[in-house]
Amino acid sequence: MIDLKETLFLLSNADGVGDLKEASDLAYNLLSKYCECTKTDNLTVIGFMKGESDYTLMLDAHIDQVGFVVTSVDDKGFLTVKNIGGIDIRALPSRRVTVHGKEKITAVFSATPPHLAKGEVTYDDIESIKLDTAIGSKAKEIVSVGDYVTFANTPKELFNNRVCSRSFDNRAAVTCLIAVAEMLRGKKLPFNLAFVLSDGEELGLRGIRAATFKIDPNEAIAVDVSFGDGIGIDSEDCSPLGSGAMIGVAPTLDSKISKRLMNICESKNIPYTTEVMDGKTGTNADMISVNKEGVRTCTVSIPLRNMHSDAEIVDLSDLESVCQCLCEYILAGGVKDV
Amino acid sequence: MFDILERLCNLDSTSGDEISVREFIINEIKDYCDWKTDNLGNIIAFKKGKNKSAKKLMLDAHMDEVGLIITSVTADGFLKFKTVGGIDASALMFRSIKINDNINGVISGKPIHLISSDERKKPPKEDSLYIDIGAISKEDALKCVSLGSRAVLCGEYSENGEKIISKALDDRIGCAVLIKLIKEYDEYDFYASFSVQEEVGLRGAKVTAFAINPDSAIVLEGTTAADISGVSEENKVCKLGEGVAVSFMDTAAVYDKEYYDYALTSGIKCQPKAAVTGGNNSGVIHFNGEGVRTVALSLPCRYIHTSSSVADKDDCECLLSLAKYMLKGICSGKIS
């Protein structure tokens, strides 16, 4: 297996907000070591492995990350931004980010000074939290409206094989897909495999539409992250870190795939939990399953803490479980004959 | 100076645990002055000048920074904490931290998806946050941290052109300037106090002032600059790039008027700290013994007490120049 930590760290350091291509380009280079790859729209990467039938299983992991876009630049070097994807703005004051202007610059979200924080500060909208470039009037020369802004954190190792950084949503899943491609390379496959690293998920499952339409799969698995455990989080809303692959069960998902994934995990001793959702899944699966005449779809997720912050935490053993689960499921023929 | 400032800012020294900054400073000054440490961990230094000083002068900078202290560990291996010194909960949420100088951690909370839209508009509550070091149980966590372990917010020193972005500029800038004065200034005798526990109630300087028993004091600090887009002119307190902030009054002290005027008319770039807010070691120093004539010279810092304070490099140079100018003015007897 590829070095999951090394690949995840590489991918999480690459930027993929808006039209920033770094993450997509890097993922393309990594994936194309193991299968033929194309880029559909500059950002979405599609890898293909030929199997022994016309049936196609699509594995998807979105390549984009949450971030911001600049909406104004003033003379004093302060910007206003809008978030791309859901971000808890209460955690922004004093946070460092990278502004992708004519050059990359570090900027800091302003914090309300203590003498002005009388009574309760409210966090109504992100535009009241100015982004300080600290370069004064020079900001106008470097930064333009429409430029993208990314979190600036870099990966750190915690105890017990757990790691922390930005963009693990969804580079953790991208890492898994690349690992799966490496594991299946040269193997006899029961059907065709399409690996999709799709763009624009955080803006409303956008990139996967065209990719699914183009690939027209018979079956699909959306690989993403989901809620890990933590204080104050109901156990029914999350799975503990280290508990393995989270296999989705939902009204919108194909129950036969869910069941087969679980059976495979049971028989191969791969750790997993069941993630029950009551309607849509909030993942690309929602879009994939209604492509053309409908696609049998399921989700496999990696438990993650602090989602959509720059301090997301995953347990590398969960990535490994997801890789094993997907490989065994594919080699066993998916639900092609079920 | 910026080389020393960078190294000082990147050290971790929460109040009551100032070891790394203390060792760094001792190493820097040991060949230039007489020094000792006291029972609380303060450094008191005496720099012999070419001339005897007209007044017994003490310069103070505090070594500690705001941080966290671990108070308990949950069965799942999460660490609960309290802040040491004032830190807003928004500056804590989802931040990288370092415990005992070497253990990586993260301040975790609920993800936005699981928070109601009402709750999202209210300030985060400190007690809803906890530290995650990747431990899988209480026993696992207690292998590497203990109750009372200190943590700091990660916020490495970096520069954006003429600006500095860093944690702990309050008050490593004071330490950097004072080190520089000990090394370079030799006209008049003076005492230096590198004090502990400022952020938890001006405690270290209380005893250094007692030990030195000065006539006059210069306190070197970092203070709030609110020159942020959207803040009205009268609430800005001081501005980056306009020089040293000189205090006339804050919540802890009323400053010596002559010293204040002498600083403002120095010709060195400086500005009044235009608000009666905050406080620093002047609060305890000026009350010492029979009273101490005190002036506070501060570096304007945006987002003070966070992982990313922003300050101006030229203001740092001005702080050094103005400290020298005041030192000379007081020690030569030029100020009455």
Side-chain angles (χ1 to χ4, degrees):
Chain A
M1 194 186 280
I2 60 165
D3 187 328
L4 293 174
K5 185 176 77 188
E6 189 192 351
T7 309
L8 176 61
F9 282 11
L10 264 178
L11 281 164
S12 71
N13 279 338
D15 293 309
V17 172
D19 64 0
L20 300 176
K21 283 205 272 189
E22 208 177 284
S24 166
D25 287 348
L26 173 64
Y28 178 91
N29 290 337
L30 293 172
L31 187 62
S32 52
K33 286 186 198 164
Y34 312 116
C35 60
E36 196 118 325
C37 286
T38 53
K39 274 198 169 196
T40 54
D41 55 3
N42 261 340
L43 292 164
T44 295
V45 177
I46 298 178
F48 195 78
M49 278 185 188
K50 186 93 189 87
E52 307 210 308
S53 67
D54 289 338
Y55 189 90
T56 300
L57 171 76
M58 180 175 88
L59 291 176
D60 165 69
H62 70 85
I63 187 74
D64 61 318
Q65 74 205 55
V66 296
F68 312 87
V69 60
V70 175
T71 53
S72 76
V73 184
D74 77 11
D75 309 333
K76 302 261 158 89
F78 289 87
L79 319 176
T80 54
V81 299
K82 266 286 184 201
N83 49 309
I84 295 175
I87 289 173
D88 195 332
I89 64 171
R90 303 174 305 161
L92 294 182
S94 79
R95 189 173 295 278
R96 291 186 211 186
V97 290
T98 305
V99 180
H100 298 257
K102 290 201 180 75
E103 54 191 88
K104 285 189 194 181
I105 49 172
T106 301
V108 179
F109 277 104
S110 62
T112 309
H115 67 288
L116 296 177
K118 289 172 191 115
E120 217 175 55
V121 180
T122 55
Y123 294 86
D124 291 324
D125 76 78
I126 189 171
E127 286 175 326
S128 62
I129 306 173
K130 309 292 182 200
L131 182 56
D132 185 356
T133 62
I135 55 171
S137 57
K138 259 178 74 185
K140 285 214 146 172
E141 296 162 27
I142 298 172
V143 186
S144 313
V145 168
D147 285 346
Y148 293 102
V149 178
T150 54
F151 283 135
N153 211 0
T154 53
K156 292 188 180 67
E157 293 187 47
L158 307 177
F159 289 113
N160 296 308
N161 224 8
R162 292 170 179 191
V163 290
C164 167
S165 193
R166 61 172 204 163
S167 306
F168 285 179
D169 175 2
N170 191 33
R171 304 294 151 69
V174 173
T175 301
C176 288
L177 259 56
I178 291 165
V180 167
E182 190 263 348
M183 289 157 89
L184 294 177
R185 177 181 49 166
K187 289 235 162 67
K188 210 164 140 184
L189 300 172
F191 40 59
N192 300 323
L193 269 187
F195 295 87
V196 180
L197 308 177
S198 55
D199 172 50
E201 193 265 358
E202 301 294 359
L203 272 176
L205 323 182
R206 302 173 73 84
I208 194 61
R209 273 177 195 249
T212 315
F213 190 88
K214 182 186 168 85
I215 294 163
D216 195 14
N218 303 86
E219 180 184 342
I221 297 175
V223 188
D224 208 325
V225 295
S226 189
F227 305 115
D229 55 338
I231 295 177
I233 301 172
D234 285 342
S235 57
E236 63 172 6
D237 288 335
C238 66
S239 289
L241 253 57
S243 64
M246 297 169 78
I247 295 170
V249 175
T252 54
L253 298 177
D254 186 284
S255 58
K256 294 210 173 69
I257 306 182
S258 306
K259 202 162 285 171
R260 189 141 170 83
L261 283 164
M262 288 187 240
N263 288 340
I264 297 272
C265 286
E266 296 278 353
S267 66
K268 300 285 179 186
N269 280 323
I270 302 165
Y272 78 97
T273 58
T274 309
E275 182 187 17
V276 183
M277 293 156 280
D278 57 3
K280 286 191 189 171
T281 64
T283 70
N284 275 341
D286 297 344
M287 191 61 76
I288 298 166
S289 52
V290 293
N291 182 62
K292 291 193 182 172
E293 293 169 27
V295 181
R296 301 174 73 178
T297 307
C298 194
T299 57
V300 171
S301 300
I302 300 152
L304 171 140
R305 289 176 182 155
N306 303 331
M307 197 183 291
H308 287 194
S309 76
D310 65 0
E312 296 178 328
I313 301 170
V314 293
D315 187 321
L316 292 168
S317 74
D318 293 326
L319 273 67
E320 210 172 312
S321 301
V322 165
C323 294
Q324 284 168 352
C325 167
L326 294 172
C327 276
E328 297 294 346
Y329 177 82
I330 289 161
L331 293 172
V335 291
K336 177 169 170 281
D337 301 316
V338 181
Chain B
M1 175 155 73
F2 297 106
D3 169 55
I4 283 188
L5 180 60
E6 173 170 0
R7 286 190 283 151
L8 278 166
C9 285
N10 287 342
L11 295 171
D12 296 341
S13 276
T14 318
S15 308
D17 187 25
E18 296 89 350
I19 300 163
S20 55
V21 169
R22 181 165 55 242
E23 284 177 353
F24 178 90
I25 291 171
I26 290 171
N27 197 42
E28 288 291 321
I29 65 170
K30 62 180 194 290
D31 299 332
Y32 300 88
C33 60
D34 296 325
W35 61 273
K36 63 169 186 172
T37 57
D38 69 11
N39 292 329
L40 297 192
N42 297 300
I43 305 170
I44 296 174
F46 175 68
K47 173 69 192 269
K48 182 100 191 88
K50 288 182 188 136
N51 306 294
K52 204 170 157 8
S53 177
K55 300 271 182 195
K56 194 174 187 188
L57 173 70
M58 149 180 174
L59 287 95
D60 173 78
H62 68 87
M63 296 187 284
D64 60 320
E65 69 189 287
V66 294
L68 312 171
I69 186 163
I70 312 299
T71 52
S72 69
V73 182
T74 70
D76 298 330
F78 297 121
L79 319 180
K80 297 294 286 178
F81 64 89
K82 290 270 189 273
T83 56
V84 174
I87 310 179
D88 193 85
S90 73
L92 298 172
M93 249 181 130
F94 305 137
R95 305 296 157 137
S96 297
I97 58 150
K98 197 149 252 186
I99 304 173
N100 295 343
D101 278 342
N102 57 14
I103 298 166
N104 288 327
V106 171
I107 303 180
S108 288
K110 265 193 198 178
I112 181 170
H113 315 68
L114 301 178
I115 297 174
S116 70
S117 52
D118 272 358
E119 206 184 324
R120 284 179 199 174
K121 293 186 173 169
K122 292 181 189 150
K125 297 209 161 51
E126 188 183 306
D127 60 11
S128 71
L129 303 172
Y130 52 90
I131 295 170
D132 190 338
I133 55 171
I136 50 171
S137 66
K138 186 170 185 170
E139 295 65 43
D140 189 33
L142 287 172
K143 278 183 221 156
C144 41
V145 298
S146 18
L147 301 188
S149 288
R150 309 300 156 85
V152 298
L153 295 168
C154 296
E156 212 172 294
Y157 180 100
S158 72
E159 291 181 5
N160 258 19
E162 286 309 299
K163 298 289 190 293
I164 298 164
I165 305 175
S166 183
K167 76 172 181 76
L169 280 170
D170 170 14
D171 184 26
R172 301 295 150 69
I173 180 61
C175 296
V177 167
L178 199 40
I179 289 170
K180 198 93 169 129
L181 288 173
I182 289 173
K183 285 183 176 174
E184 290 175 4
Y185 186 84
D186 62 358
E187 260 183 297
Y188 291 95
D189 299 346
F190 69 93
Y191 287 84
S193 143
F194 294 95
S195 50
V196 298
Q197 298 178 35
E198 194 267 354
E199 300 291 0
V200 290
L202 323 181
R203 297 170 51 79
K206 182 167 187 298
V207 303
T208 57
F210 181 88
I212 297 168
N213 195 24
D215 303 309
S216 305
I218 301 173
V219 172
L220 301 167
E221 260 288 10
T223 196
T224 300
D227 57 336
I228 304 165
S229 172
V231 172
S232 61
E233 203 57 33
E234 71 274 18
N235 281 323
K236 288 189 168 151
V237 186
C238 58
K239 294 177 188 170
L240 264 59
E242 303 209 349
V244 181
V246 186
S247 305
F248 51 83
M249 181 175 168
D250 56 36
T251 60
V254 179
Y255 293 88
D256 187 278
K257 185 73 167 75
E258 275 172 275
Y259 285 4
Y260 171 78
D261 288 338
Y262 191 78
L264 285 184
T265 54
S266 62
I268 297 162
K269 203 153 54 151
C270 62
Q271 55 189 323
K273 180 186 168 185
V276 181
T277 58
N280 57 52
N281 277 336
S282 305
V284 292
I285 295 169
H286 82 305
F287 278 143
N288 187 66
E290 294 175 18
V292 180
R293 297 179 66 179
T294 304
V295 63
L297 307 177
S298 303
L299 175 73
C301 299
R302 293 179 191 149
Y303 330 125
I304 207 161
H305 289 198
T306 74
S307 57
S308 304
S309 297
V310 176
D312 187 285
K313 288 176 78 175
D314 186 48
D315 291 342
C316 296
E317 300 283 9
C318 292
L319 182 61
L320 176 62
S321 307
L322 189 55
K324 258 185 210 166
Y325 178 84
M326 291 302 294
L327 204 165
K328 187 172 182 177
I330 292 167
C331 293
S332 64
K334 205 170 165 201
I335 315 177
S336 62

